[in-house]
Amino acid sequence: MIKLLAGFTSLSLLLILFAVNRGFDISDEGLYALLSLPEQENIAGIFNYDLFFKLFYKLTGIQFGIVGLRLLRLFLYLSAALSLTYFWKTFTQADRLSFKHYLLALLGLFAGYGFLPQSLSYNSLSVVIACFWLTLISIRNKTTTQYLLIGLLLACMAYTKITASLGLGMITILWMIYGKQFKWTYILGLLIPLAIIESILYLTLGDFALSRLVEARQMMGHRAEYSFLLLLKYSIVGFSWLALVSIPFFIAGKLHTSAPKLKYTILFIALILLGCIAYFTAITQEWNHLVLLLTVAVLAYFAPRLSFESISSHQRFLLATLLLLPFLLHLGSNVYWLRLGIHYWVFWVLAALYVGSLIHARLAKQMSVAVGVLTLIMVVNGIWIHPFQQEPLWMATQKWSYGNGKSIKLTKKQLDLLTAIEPFAQDQDQLLAFYRIPGIPYLLDKTSPKSPGFWTKSQTEYFFPSGYQAEVLLFYPLDSLPSFVKSDFSKNYMQLPDGEELQILWRK
């Protein structure tokens, strides 16, 4: 079994490594890349982990490029999988660490490459932080030092995704109450790391997250896609579809011994329903949501056969935490849960393996093989065949140089686009590009004024209430032009690799 899992892991790892210098998504990955630039502004930032890149650059002079960001994500996944191996040891009360479960944890994390670009992002960072948090939270009778470490992780999550940090903080306090360890000294231990980090950032950079978040509250009013009700809807819709899938599978599992013939009828209906829901919820070419639906179906089917009396209360709480984490980490995202949920699949993988191991060793082995197969397919598809908003990755063969000696291989269409835009913007240090195209300024060695990305007209107008004076602007017509763009601009039309039209606006 270990050799088979090692094979799946090795193949997935090789596919990831061979892809690190190929392709680039000019939308989301462009945002991640700009956030890593030391000189990039991030006024009213809702994602503030860029402060760590700025601090790291100030201390070392090292700046990450596209390849560096991708390798950093991979390194963090390798570390997070090791952390989850320690968690599994505590969770199952095993005598020693398990290399098999390290491989399974890594495969579960690798599934995140099935959706969104390869570079380190707030989504991949939030999963890594949650893995380390989960390991620490599972320790019984935690010390003040361990609560300080948990506080450090909550602080890092606050810079990455504030809503997830608040959620993890609430679960941490519930754990303290549940374990009868609620002490004000421990609460201070959770808060002190954030205060220290904020002080260091302010003293060294003159910037810190709290001031940005205060500004961000007003800015978010100009982004309708981040309204509270809409964000709640994205999570509730995902939960509702999963609940609808799980109910008939749970009933079928309940009838496993009492009415086997009826069980197969219900199971047949459940599979038909799962297929219909998978088809109905496939809003894009992605199919990763099918893996999430299958996973919840498996958990629901085998849940009635689980002897909860044989599981300690500590383990029941940990199992519930594993099931809850994907929803908790998704809160605050403006992407539907069924699309983004694959990033959090690793927690359900561990929950399913635990349930399977308690029912039958053979079932756990079958689940392990399924994890390996599904992850390998998702890595192949998500990186090479259908990379996020790009052409297939084997078409990225043209070298493009940027930054100080850095390079990346792009497709011919991408190269032609950049070559056409470059002469217009060569005299500018900053390039305002809207909407959802921050990767173009990045690849042209420009920064974006005030914010690393502009997604809507109202957001752009918020940042430039008095207008913006520039010789060249880039406009991708996903929304109408900001009101400050007057008729004194000429237009040059370029075709993006996806066939859509980009406008270069330049003064007459």
Side-chain angles (χ1 to χ4, degrees):
M1 175 56 67
I2 290 181
K3 289 182 179 179
L4 186 60
L5 291 175
F8 286 126
T9 307
S10 299
L11 284 173
S12 299
L13 182 59
L14 287 173
L15 287 166
I16 294 167
L17 286 172
F18 283 131
V20 292
N21 67 336
R22 288 175 178 268
F24 185 71
D25 162 44
I26 62 171
S27 59
D28 292 59
E29 193 166 21
L31 174 66
Y32 311 153
L34 280 178
L35 282 168
S36 73
L37 288 181
E39 62 272 21
Q40 174 60 50
E41 295 177 286
N42 190 15
I43 298 171
I46 55 175
F47 306 114
N48 294 300
Y49 64 93
D50 65 297
L51 289 166
F52 292 110
F53 284 108
K54 289 174 170 60
L55 179 62
F56 184 75
Y57 177 77
K58 185 154 189 155
L59 295 174
T60 66
I62 297 174
Q63 178 178 319
F64 288 87
I66 299 168
V67 173
L69 289 172
R70 293 173 178 179
L71 291 175
L72 181 57
R73 177 184 180 181
L74 180 59
F75 171 76
L76 289 175
Y77 274 6
L78 293 169
S79 304
L82 182 60
S83 178
L84 288 177
T85 311
Y86 278 93
F87 162 77
W88 183 265
K89 179 178 178 292
T90 305
F91 182 30
T92 60
Q93 300 176 358
D95 296 328
R96 56 185 180 180
L97 297 176
S98 168
F99 182 60
K100 180 181 78 171
H101 287 96
Y102 174 78
L103 295 174
L104 286 165
L106 191 55
L107 286 166
L109 289 165
F110 280 172
Y113 284 102
F115 176 58
L116 293 177
Q118 300 178 59
S119 290
L120 183 73
S121 69
Y122 43 87
N123 291 307
S124 52
L125 264 175
S126 64
V127 172
V128 169
I129 294 168
C131 290
F132 286 104
W133 172 87
L134 186 61
T135 302
L136 286 172
I137 211 71
S138 66
I139 299 172
R140 289 178 179 269
N141 303 317
K142 289 177 275 295
T143 64
T144 303
T145 300
Q146 288 164 338
Y147 275 113
L148 282 168
L149 290 173
I150 292 172
L152 178 61
L153 292 172
L154 294 178
C156 291
M157 187 68 88
Y159 290 92
T160 305
K161 195 174 184 182
I162 186 64
T163 51
S165 179
L166 294 172
L168 291 185
M170 290 172 57
I171 299 297
T172 301
I173 292 173
L174 285 176
W175 268 96
M176 293 169 68
I177 297 171
Y178 172 77
K180 299 179 180 179
Q181 283 194 303
F182 189 89
K183 296 180 182 179
W184 289 110
T185 52
Y186 292 162
I187 296 293
L188 283 174
L190 297 179
L191 297 175
I192 286 173
L194 179 60
I196 293 174
I197 294 173
E198 285 284 81
S199 300
I200 292 172
L201 291 171
Y202 178 72
L203 292 172
T204 55
L205 302 176
D207 198 2
F208 58 107
L210 184 59
S211 65
R212 290 181 175 186
L213 291 172
V214 170
E215 292 182 72
R217 285 190 61 189
Q218 183 179 356
M219 186 273 291
M220 294 301 283
H222 295 263
R223 295 195 65 177
E225 74 273 25
Y226 275 100
S227 70
F228 175 77
L229 290 177
L230 194 57
L231 293 178
L232 194 60
K233 174 188 172 183
Y234 290 139
S235 294
I236 290 175
V237 167
F239 178 82
S240 300
W241 285 123
L242 293 168
L244 192 58
V245 165
S246 64
I247 290 170
F249 279 98
F250 182 83
I251 295 172
K254 197 78 172 173
L255 300 172
H256 176 69
T257 53
S258 60
K261 290 184 179 179
L262 180 59
K263 178 194 79 169
Y264 286 113
T265 302
I266 300 295
L267 196 58
F268 177 75
I269 295 172
L271 288 169
I272 295 296
L273 181 62
L274 186 150
C276 291
I277 289 175
Y279 176 78
F280 185 73
T281 54
I283 57 175
T284 65
Q285 67 178 7
E286 300 144 14
W287 51 266
N288 298 324
H289 67 295
L290 178 59
V291 174
L292 298 170
L293 296 174
L294 284 170
T295 305
V296 80
V298 169
L299 282 165
Y301 179 71
F302 288 107
R305 294 167 60 180
L306 195 61
S307 176
F308 284 96
E309 297 78 13
S310 63
I311 306 173
S312 70
S313 58
H314 185 72
Q315 289 171 315
R316 286 199 293 269
F317 210 108
L318 286 172
L319 181 59
T321 303
L322 284 172
L323 297 175
L324 178 64
L325 268 177
F327 298 105
L328 190 149
L329 294 175
H330 178 266
L331 281 175
S333 297
N334 67 335
V335 179
Y336 279 110
W337 195 96
L338 285 175
R339 293 189 76 195
L340 194 58
I342 199 63
H343 282 270
Y344 318 127
W345 187 52
V346 63
F347 303 113
W348 282 4
V349 165
L350 295 179
L353 290 171
Y354 180 68
V355 170
S357 66
L358 293 178
I359 294 173
H360 200 287
R362 187 177 64 180
L363 177 60
K365 289 182 179 180
Q366 292 169 342
M367 288 180 173
S368 300
V369 174
V371 169
V373 172
L374 289 171
T375 295
L376 183 58
I377 293 172
M378 284 187 285
V379 169
V380 171
N381 183 68
I383 291 183
W384 286 92
I385 301 176
H386 295 113
F388 188 71
Q389 301 190 138
Q390 301 172 67
E391 297 171 274
L393 212 61
W394 55 79
M395 296 179 67
T397 59
Q398 309 294 311
K399 183 179 178 181
W400 176 263
S401 298
Y402 68 98
N404 297 318
K406 298 180 177 65
S407 65
I408 190 75
K409 290 183 179 180
L410 304 175
T411 64
K412 186 178 185 304
K413 289 182 179 179
Q414 288 177 314
L415 196 74
D416 291 344
L417 176 70
L418 293 170
T419 303
I421 297 173
E422 191 173 29
F424 287 93
Q426 61 185 355
D427 296 327
Q428 298 184 188
D429 294 326
Q430 293 186 318
L431 179 59
L432 179 55
F434 49 88
Y435 305 98
R436 305 189 183 193
I437 50 172
I440 296 178
Y442 177 82
L443 289 173
L444 293 175
D445 296 327
K446 314 296 180 185
T447 58
S448 177
K450 296 195 176 183
S451 175
F454 299 93
W455 257 239
T456 63
K457 175 183 177 180
S458 58
Q459 178 206 8
T460 309
E461 290 179 338
Y462 167 82
F463 280 108
F464 305 103
S466 302
Y468 181 72
Q469 296 298 317
E471 296 300 314
V472 178
L473 303 172
L474 297 183
F475 172 51
Y476 182 31
L478 295 175
D479 202 345
S480 57
L481 280 167
S483 58
F484 60 78
V485 179
K486 307 300 182 183
S487 58
D488 57 342
F489 281 95
S490 296
K491 296 180 182 179
N492 199 341
Y493 296 90
M494 295 293 302
Q495 191 178 62
L496 291 171
D498 61 3
E500 297 294 329
E501 199 171 66
L502 173 76
Q503 296 181 21
I504 305 173
L505 307 177
W506 47 282
R507 292 192 185 278
K508 296 178 182 177

